[in-house]
Amino acid sequence: MRPARLLGRRRGGGSAELLVLGSSCGDWTALVRPGRRLRPGAEIEIAPDAVVRIESEALPPDGRRRISFPGWHGTPESLLATHGHVPLPPYVRRPDSAEDRERYQTVYAREEGSVAAPTAGLHFTHDLLAALAARGIGVAEVVLHVGPGTFRPVTADDVADHRVDPEPFALPAPTAEAIARTRRAGGRVVAVGTTVARVLETRAGDDGAVEPGEGATDLVIVPGHRFRGIDALVTNFHLPRSSLLLLVSAFAGRERVLAAYHQALALGYRFYSYGDAMLIS
C-alpha cells in the first residue's frame, strides 16, 4: 500500500486534499477535495519542493482527475514516499502517524498500489505465520490493489445493481497449484479477507478449479452467489451498506452474520480496519 494521501494548500488560498489512485498509460489520477474549487490548471502546494497540478475535469465513473507534478525532480512514487500520508479510513478520526506506515500494512505486503489495507491480513504476524507453518498449514499469496470503490456505500435499490470499479489483481501459478493440491488432499482453502475471496472467485471455474492469471476484477459478490474458489473466510467486521458486508452475507447467510454482529457488539469486539476478525467456515 502506498502513502497515497497528499495534504496541501491551494495557490489561491485554502486547504486541499488528494487521494492519489495511481497511474495508467503514464497518466496519474487522484480524487480531490474541494472538487468544485480545483479546476483544470489549479495548483496545490504540498511542500516547498512539491506541487500538484489538476489537469482535467472530473472523469467517470468516480470523479477522479488527471494530475501532474510540475517541478518535482523525482518520480511520483518518490513524492508520495516523501510527502504522502497513510490513507486511513475516515472513521479513524485522528491524523496518521509514522507508526501507521507499518501497522496499516500486512507483514506479507510486497507491491505498492492499494489505497487501503486488506484489513483481515493485519491480524497475521510473522510469529502467527510461523505457527501455522509448524502445523502444516500452507500459505499462498495473491495480489489485489484495493481501490476506493470497494468502500463506496451501496445505494442501489437492488444490491445486484451495485458496481465496484475494476481493481488490478494477480494470481500466480504456484498459488493456483497450491489450491488444487489442497483440494486433492481433502483440505480447505481459507481466504484471508474479502480481497482474497474476490480474486479467487474471479478466477474460479464452474468446477471449482482456480486458474492463475492477471487482470482487473469488478466482481461484486451478493447473496445468491455460488462460491467455488473458497471454503472458509477470515474477515473483519464491516460497515453497514458496504459491498464487503454483502460478500460476507453471501458466504455465511444474512441471519448468521447479523447474529454474529449482535454478539460482537454485546461482547465489545472492535469493528472495521483496526478491529477484530472472525472465521467463517
Side-chain angles (χ1 to χ4, degrees), residues 10-30:
R10 290 179 278 129
R11 283 285 168 86
S15 61
E17 178 179 337
L18 303 96
L19 181 64
V20 180
L21 302 178
S23 64
S24 176
C25 301
D27 289 330
W28 283 76
T29 60

Side-chain angles (χ1 to χ4, degrees), residues 87-98:
L88 294 175
Y91 48 76
V92 178
R93 301 185 182 278
R94 60 168 175 78
D96 68 307
S97 65

Side-chain angles (χ1 to χ4, degrees), residues 147-233:
T150 296
F151 306 101
R152 189 173 299 128
V154 177
T155 57
D157 293 333
D158 185 340
V159 294
D161 294 330
H162 182 68
R163 295 291 178 266
V164 173
D165 298 337
E167 297 170 316
F169 73 86
L171 197 159
T175 295
E177 292 164 4
I179 291 170
R181 188 167 57 249
T182 297
R183 289 255 169 82
R184 287 195 301 268
R188 295 189 302 163
V189 175
V190 182
V192 177
T194 56
T195 294
V196 173
R198 290 182 65 229
V199 175
L200 297 186
E201 291 302 309
T202 297
R203 298 300 299 172
D206 289 338
D207 60 354
V210 174
E211 296 293 332
E214 298 183 11
T217 179
D218 59 359
L219 178 64
V220 179
I221 296 176
V222 300
H225 176 85
R226 184 172 70 87
F227 284 84
R228 298 158 299 176
I230 69 172
D231 304 306
L233 174 66

Side-chain angles (χ1 to χ4, degrees), residues 24-207:
S24 176
C25 301
D27 289 330
W28 283 76
T29 60
L31 299 175
V32 304
R33 290 194 303 180
R36 292 183 179 179
R37 300 195 177 194
L38 293 171
R39 313 295 295 180
E43 293 188 342
I44 303 150
E45 183 177 321
I46 306 300
D49 62 343
V51 172
V52 177
R53 178 184 293 147
I54 307 299
E55 299 290 359
S56 76
E57 297 283 0
L59 303 171
D62 56 8
R64 65 183 65 193
R65 312 290 191 89
R66 283 195 299 273
I67 59 173
S68 63
F69 307 92
W72 178 254
H73 297 297
T75 64
E77 289 89 351
S78 68
L79 187 149
L80 293 173
T82 303
H83 299 295
H85 295 263
V86 177
L88 294 175
Y91 48 76
V92 178
R93 301 185 182 278
R94 60 168 175 78
D96 68 307
S97 65
E99 188 180 38
D100 288 310
R101 289 210 178 194
E102 179 178 352
R103 293 187 65 222
Y104 196 56
Q105 182 79 275
T106 63
V107 298
Y108 46 79
R110 299 286 184 274
E111 301 180 22
E112 285 195 349
S114 289
V115 298
T119 54
L122 299 180
H123 301 279
F124 287 76
T125 63
H126 291 297
D127 288 344
L128 178 55
L129 291 172
L132 293 174
R135 298 186 62 176
I137 299 172
V139 175
E141 297 183 351
V142 301
V143 174
L144 186 143
H145 292 310
V146 181
T150 296
F151 306 101
R152 189 173 299 128
V154 177
T155 57
D157 293 333
D158 185 340
V159 294
D161 294 330
H162 182 68
R163 295 291 178 266
V164 173
D165 298 337
E167 297 170 316
F169 73 86
L171 197 159
T175 295
E177 292 164 4
I179 291 170
R181 188 167 57 249
T182 297
R183 289 255 169 82
R184 287 195 301 268
R188 295 189 302 163
V189 175
V190 182
V192 177
T194 56
T195 294
V196 173
R198 290 182 65 229
V199 175
L200 297 186
E201 291 302 309
T202 297
R203 298 300 299 172
D206 289 338
D207 60 354

